[in-house]
Amino acid sequence: MVDFDRDFWTLDFEASSLSQSSYPIEVGYCNLFLDVRKSFLIRPAHIWTRFPGGWSEESAKIHGITIEEIYTDGIDPETVCEELNADLDNSAVFVDGGFYDLFWLEKLYDLTDMEPSFHLSYVHYNGKENTKHRALADAIDLWYEVEKSICSPS
């Protein structure tokens, strides 16, 4: 039997830009019943910020996160990975960013000795227009789309 509370989650990243030098700056995720909702600002690793083009003011306008916020309020990448692994262990985690979400997840875990303890599954969803994109809000929006597919009668 499927334990929906444990086994199905949605996750979203916000990033510094969409360039090859981009890095994750926020992750948000939630479970089916939306009783577990978490979001973390991610303090950039020094190695991520050494390359030009990593931070985009255009991306900052979309998500509304400032570079000052991630340095002041962000937590270190290793702690983020520990939290993700603890909460999402052995789960199917739905994302809508395809390549980008995998790229940022790998960038995050490459800094640690850890591997993700969960699996990403891509769901096509364009998100809501004309809103600030924050990771947790986007993960919740995505969950409503996933829920339609999983929970709708055949």
Side-chain angles (χ1 to χ4, degrees):
M1 178 174 218
V2 174
D3 179 353
F4 284 103
D5 184 45
R6 175 178 167 80
D7 295 333
F8 293 96
W9 297 75
T10 55
L11 178 144
D12 188 68
F13 282 105
E14 298 304 330
S16 61
S17 72
L18 295 178
S19 74
Q20 286 187 327
S21 300
S22 68
Y23 47 89
I25 61 168
E26 184 181 43
V27 63
Y29 54 98
C30 62
N31 67 345
L32 170 67
F33 300 108
L34 299 176
D35 60 334
V36 179
R37 305 173 185 200
K38 291 192 178 180
S39 177
F40 305 104
L41 288 175
I42 303 166
R43 186 173 53 245
H46 177 69
I47 193 167
W48 293 348
T49 60
R50 293 183 4 198
F51 304 101
W55 183 263
S56 162
E57 288 302 323
E58 287 301 311
S59 292
K61 288 177 188 173
I62 293 169
H63 51 62
I65 301 168
T66 67
I67 198 160
E68 292 80 14
E69 281 180 275
I70 59 176
Y71 280 106
T72 303
D73 301 329
I75 62 176
D76 66 276
E78 187 165 343
T79 301
V80 174
C81 292
E82 289 169 356
E83 290 283 334
L84 289 170
N85 279 354
D87 290 336
L88 307 178
D89 186 40
N90 203 31
S91 298
V93 179
F94 297 98
V95 297
D96 64 353
F99 162 81
Y100 287 111
D101 287 321
L102 181 59
F103 175 72
W104 295 318
L105 184 73
E106 287 177 352
K107 195 163 246 190
L108 191 59
Y109 276 86
D110 281 350
L111 292 173
T112 72
D113 293 334
M114 294 177 271
E115 293 288 327
S117 64
F118 52 92
H119 306 283
L120 295 185
S121 297
Y122 174 72
V123 174
H124 178 74
Y125 175 59
N126 290 327
K128 293 183 176 178
E129 296 297 322
N130 301 321
T131 61
K132 288 281 186 215
H133 287 272
R134 291 301 297 259
L136 181 57
D138 288 354
I140 291 168
D141 288 345
L142 176 60
W143 183 247
Y144 287 118
E145 291 302 307
V146 170
E147 184 183 35
K148 288 177 193 175
S149 300
I150 292 176
C151 298
S152 64
S154 301

